Amino acid sequence: MHEHRASVVWRRETETFDYPSYNRSHSWRFESGISVPASAASGFLGTPDRVDPEEAYVAAISSCHMLTFLAICARKRILVDAYIDNAVGFMEENAQGKLAIARVHLAPEIRFGPNPPSEETVRKIHHLSHEECFIANSVNTEITVLGH
């Protein structure tokens, strides 16, 4: 068992507290000492130069998939030189009529060292990565690895 802790800290910075005017800016603080400036998404009156929960969710899915992919490759002695993913999350109405990040498309571009694996092997590693990813195993969002 592992515990993962985060603190979310918000303080009112506006004189009034009505929906259009209160500040959405806050911080995510982690045990490592890192603090991430966060806010609501711009479409929900957030500050655009801060991370919003929805994009952090997409990044967490992408990051977990990548870390799992790298671990599998390392165990199989497949040299990976670079991994870049431009993931996209889609906010849609779910079956209950609620807004949710219903789908996430991962679009990894991977550069391998000498003796790269076949496309079939890469496809299998992506499938296993999805099956083993802690975050993917924790959510109901449909996650697709594009092109694999």
Side-chain angles (χ1 to χ4, degrees):
M1 290 289 224
H2 300 275
E3 290 186 357
H4 302 275
R5 298 173 186 266
S7 297
V8 176
V9 179
W10 175 87
R11 288 184 179 76
R12 184 171 51 84
E13 296 172 354
T14 57
E15 193 162 320
T16 60
F17 187 73
D18 55 3
Y19 187 80
S21 68
Y22 74 87
N23 59 293
R24 273 72 170 172
S25 296
H26 58 283
S27 295
W28 300 339
R29 296 183 184 162
F30 301 94
E31 288 182 328
S32 64
I34 293 173
S35 180
V36 175
S39 184
S42 296
F44 296 96
L45 306 176
T47 307
D49 64 347
R50 290 174 170 248
V51 177
D52 67 63
E54 296 80 12
E55 63 192 354
Y57 179 73
V58 172
I61 290 169
S62 174
S63 179
C64 186
H65 183 89
M66 178 200 67
L67 291 168
T68 306
F69 185 93
L70 295 175
I72 293 167
C73 285
R75 283 191 220 109
K76 291 182 175 289
R77 292 184 165 52
I78 297 171
L79 180 62
V80 179
D81 287 333
Y83 185 113
I84 299 169
D85 185 11
N86 294 301
V88 180
F90 298 90
M91 186 178 291
E92 303 168 345
E93 228 177 69
N94 65 15
Q96 294 77 34
K98 303 287 186 180
L99 283 179
I101 303 294
R103 297 178 293 124
V104 173
H105 289 176
L106 306 180
E109 295 175 26
I110 305 160
R111 192 173 67 235
F112 294 97
N115 306 313
S118 69
E119 275 299 312
E120 178 62 21
T121 298
V122 172
R123 207 175 354 270
K124 286 178 180 177
I125 295 171
H126 276 300
H127 178 75
L128 184 56
S129 297
H130 178 70
E131 294 293 317
E132 298 299 321
C133 170
F134 307 142
I135 302 298
N137 288 327
S138 303
V139 301
N140 293 325
T141 300
E142 176 187 318
I143 302 168
T144 305
V145 181
L146 300 177
H148 297 284

